Amino acid sequence: MTKNVFTPVAESGVPPSPARDQRGTAVSRASRTALPDLVWLPPAVLLLGLGLWAFALPGIEFRTMGDYGLLDRLPAAFYASLLVLTAGFLVVLRRAGTSPGWPLAYCVALLVALKAPPAVLYDSVRYPWASKHDAVVNVVLGAGELRPNAALSGNMSAYEQWPGFFTLNAALVRAFGVESTAVYLNWAPIVLGLIALPLLVLIYRTFAEDWRLVWTAVWIFQLANWVGQDYLAPQGLAYILHLSVLAVVMRHFVRPGSAGRLRDRAYLDPAATAVPPPTGLRQRAVCVLIISPLIFAINAVHQLTPVMLCAALFVLALTRRYRNYGLLVVTGLLMLTWNLTMGRPLFLETLGTLRESIGRLTENSRAGYAGQLTGPGPELAGRAGIVMALTVVVLAGIAVLGRRRLTRSALPLLLVSIAPVPLFAVNDYGGEMLFRVYLFGLPGAAFFAAAALVPAAAGARRSRGALVRRRVAAVALPVVLVALTAGFLPAYYGKETMYYTPPAESELVTRAIDRLPEGGLLLATAGSFPEALHRYDQVEHWFFAEQELPENEKMLADPARYLADGIPRGTTAHVVLTRTQDIYTAGEGLLPPGGFEALRTRLKASPLFRTVEEHPYGIVLAYTPASPATPATSGGTP
């Protein structure tokens, strides 16, 4: 009989029962092995997959992306490389317990294959809005200080109230001797992904003894992590710190006498591990002191992550196993202390808006400003993201209901995954709450989704039902992994036309902002374009299309007068309209079809605005108010 990926191995923790022939006579495992282990196969398949990937890279025409982003620019060899890596992972998964190095190598290869193309290929920063983080680092390097109480336009005050990420990167820029974070910014998803790998393994090994389940969960996490929150941003760093705290808590904060039968192998799921050894009160107190700097760092880096951490620790405290109120109190006090000191301005502003947002589930769970993606690529990306999330949740639900013993032992991980969901009732977080809830719930969801696909070791139970489940899983696992890979690509790369910006466009924006005097005003449709926040501490910003579509349609009737009425008297103002803004406002549904071109044409034709610089990738217009003696008209016509 040919071996499949579910051949029982020692990692399950349960010695497999001997195989028997048709007469019931026990036979050795070696005697029924049709094919010998091919030790050369894992490295050969890995090299083939990476070779196909490297071969495909030069053929990716990212500069000519159209409606579907990178999807129709990726060569066949790129897709083939992902299939080869998936096949290789399924092969090495069979021996994950005795050779865990190979699943790790394949997980690293998958991370590189999925997220490294922009870092290798692009000649500019991926995600135009990421350039604002570089701008904050430049301010730290130039001024040597931040002003948390200063009112900064462009929503930049929050960055100076939570400066941990930016001061760290300022130190890295100095240590590396590079000009700015733009040099390494595109590599952040790879670096953060590599750091997350051992943290996920630590968390999963706390609840699973079967290495096949652990590595499959890691693989699913990487495929399902399409939300794009792992770029060089405060959220990416804070998320790593969040996982670090959870890993320590789940492994080292078990209360004595709380495990009950969860240390009895006969009561556990064959894939589960026993509850970690208990720790006394003194040991837990020492652990609180050890991880308090991590918790403090989370508060210094990001606004939302401490809330997510408090929610996770709260639900853990509801369990007998992790009922550690002291840690929860310390975490809450650190968060409150930061919010009432460094973060006080934004904290009070957020409290003032809670009355309007609390309980509005539909509005709080919307994605982005308009919540209505338009265009083939963005629409496909939106649908793919929804299908991916539903697939992972459904698989996790199957495991929760179907493997109740595993659910009992891994209940803390399940609760931590559900903990962020109530935040939908609190705030929309600028249209980002949907993505953040999904991101923080993903580690547990990926674990239980893997449990639905990786059955208990073959020798654990010999019932007919168990045999059927193993046979179904033998087919379901490869099918689901391939389907998740196919879903990741449009979800992550379907909107790539918004994310890549030609260097010439960045240079145009930089020149336009440098022309403005201190206190000048920069106008643009939205802030998602390169170098939009250059000199943010000296220049004011007005992103006038970041509002609901009906209001923007009114604005388009007479954009020149609309903007002129909003520019303070005596202010030097420049309007910058770029190719990236055109793509972004269309893709996010901020402007109707043809709206951006109409805006550009009408402003250019108006006597209220003078063309300073114009190129195929953008235009700069200077506001020229009419003299009091000569009333002006907009001059713009459809």
Side-chain angles (χ1 to χ4, degrees), residues 211-235:
W211 276 104
R212 300 171 307 153
L213 175 55
V214 171
W215 289 117
T216 303
V218 172
W219 192 272
I220 291 176
F221 176 89
Q222 293 189 134
L223 291 176
N225 187 15
W226 52 264
V227 292
Q229 297 296 334
D230 53 359
Y231 67 107
L232 195 71
Q235 177 65 97

Side-chain angles (χ1 to χ4, degrees), residues 329-545:
V329 169
V330 168
T331 304
L333 287 176
L334 286 174
M335 180 179 68
L336 188 61
T337 300
W338 189 277
N339 287 340
L340 293 178
T341 53
M342 285 288 290
R344 179 181 175 87
L346 182 62
F347 178 65
L348 296 179
E349 179 184 338
T350 302
L351 289 180
T353 62
L354 286 183
R355 181 177 298 179
E356 299 178 359
S357 63
I358 197 165
R360 301 173 64 180
L361 297 179
T362 303
E363 291 82 357
N364 292 345
S365 60
R366 66 191 175 97
Y369 291 103
Q372 183 63 50
L373 298 173
T374 60
E379 290 174 0
L380 178 61
R383 288 193 295 268
I386 293 173
V387 171
M388 290 276 284
L390 290 177
T391 300
V392 173
V393 170
V394 169
L395 288 172
I398 291 173
V400 168
L401 297 176
R403 301 184 69 170
R404 295 186 180 181
R405 290 188 176 188
L406 181 63
T407 302
R408 291 190 191 101
S409 60
L411 180 62
L413 185 56
L414 176 63
L415 293 177
V416 165
S417 295
I418 299 174
V421 174
L423 291 177
F424 279 133
V426 179
N427 196 277
D428 72 341
Y429 200 66
E432 288 282 323
M433 187 60 77
L434 176 65
F435 303 115
R436 306 305 169 96
V437 169
Y438 174 79
L439 178 66
F440 282 89
L442 184 56
F447 176 83
F448 284 99
L453 298 170
V454 179
R461 298 176 66 184
R462 282 292 176 181
S463 67
R464 178 172 297 181
L467 181 60
V468 170
R469 286 193 294 272
R470 286 195 294 273
R471 288 177 176 175
V472 171
V475 176
L477 179 61
V479 169
V480 170
L481 294 190
V482 171
L484 289 177
T485 304
F488 174 90
L489 294 174
Y492 194 72
Y493 286 123
K495 299 163 64 176
E496 199 66 20
T497 309
M498 298 184 193
Y499 303 155
Y500 170 73
T501 303
E505 182 179 329
S506 301
E507 295 167 2
L508 170 72
V509 175
T510 302
R511 288 195 299 271
I513 296 177
D514 284 340
R515 291 191 190 101
L516 287 170
E518 187 168 348
L521 176 63
L522 176 74
L523 292 85
T525 55
S528 297
F529 64 98
E531 303 299 334
L533 278 304
H534 174 58
R535 293 180 61 206
Y536 72 92
D537 57 328
Q538 302 173 23
V539 174
E540 300 294 318
H541 303 81
W542 179 18
F543 303 130
F544 55 85

Side-chain angles (χ1 to χ4, degrees), residues 31-263:
S31 66
R32 60 189 185 91
T33 300
L35 294 175
D37 285 335
L38 302 177
V39 295
W40 55 266
L41 189 58
V45 176
L46 181 63
L47 290 175
L48 175 61
L50 292 177
L52 287 171
W53 180 81
F55 175 77
L57 285 186
I60 300 177
E61 298 293 339
F62 63 93
R63 293 185 180 88
T64 61
M65 287 185 290
D67 291 338
Y68 288 95
L70 276 181
L71 291 181
D72 56 357
R73 295 296 184 270
L74 296 173
F78 183 88
Y79 295 103
S81 70
L82 298 181
L83 290 176
V84 170
L85 290 176
T86 302
F89 175 73
L90 291 170
V91 170
V92 300
L93 194 63
R94 181 169 55 92
R95 294 297 183 193
T98 55
S99 301
W102 283 118
L104 172 61
Y106 273 89
C107 285
V108 171
L110 178 70
L111 173 67
V112 171
L114 291 177
K115 296 188 174 179
V120 175
L121 297 175
Y122 286 9
D123 49 8
S124 64
V125 171
R126 185 177 189 249
Y127 296 135
W129 52 86
S131 62
K132 64 185 176 183
H133 302 147
D134 186 48
V136 180
V137 174
N138 289 338
V139 168
V140 174
L141 291 170
E145 64 177 358
L146 294 172
R147 300 164 296 166
N149 295 313
L152 300 171
S153 68
N155 298 320
M156 295 301 287
S157 295
Y159 292 99
E160 301 212 354
Q161 293 165 23
W162 279 267
F165 169 81
F166 305 106
T167 53
L168 171 63
N169 275 277
L172 291 177
V173 168
R174 287 282 172 82
F176 294 156
V178 296
E179 184 178 351
S180 69
T181 61
V183 174
Y184 58 83
L185 193 150
N186 286 347
W187 289 97
I190 310 302
V191 175
L192 295 176
L194 290 175
I195 298 173
L197 269 176
L199 296 174
L200 291 170
V201 171
L202 281 174
I203 292 174
Y204 294 153
R205 282 291 285 174
T206 304
F207 303 102
E209 189 171 88
D210 190 339
W211 276 104
R212 300 171 307 153
L213 175 55
V214 171
W215 289 117
T216 303
V218 172
W219 192 272
I220 291 176
F221 176 89
Q222 293 189 134
L223 291 176
N225 187 15
W226 52 264
V227 292
Q229 297 296 334
D230 53 359
Y231 67 107
L232 195 71
Q235 177 65 97
L237 175 59
Y239 189 67
I240 293 297
L241 297 174
H242 172 84
L243 292 178
S244 302
V245 172
L246 290 183
V248 172
V249 171
M250 289 178 174
R251 296 184 71 87
H252 299 291
F253 276 76
V254 177
R255 290 170 56 88
S258 62
R261 290 185 293 176
L262 294 179
R263 288 200 177 93

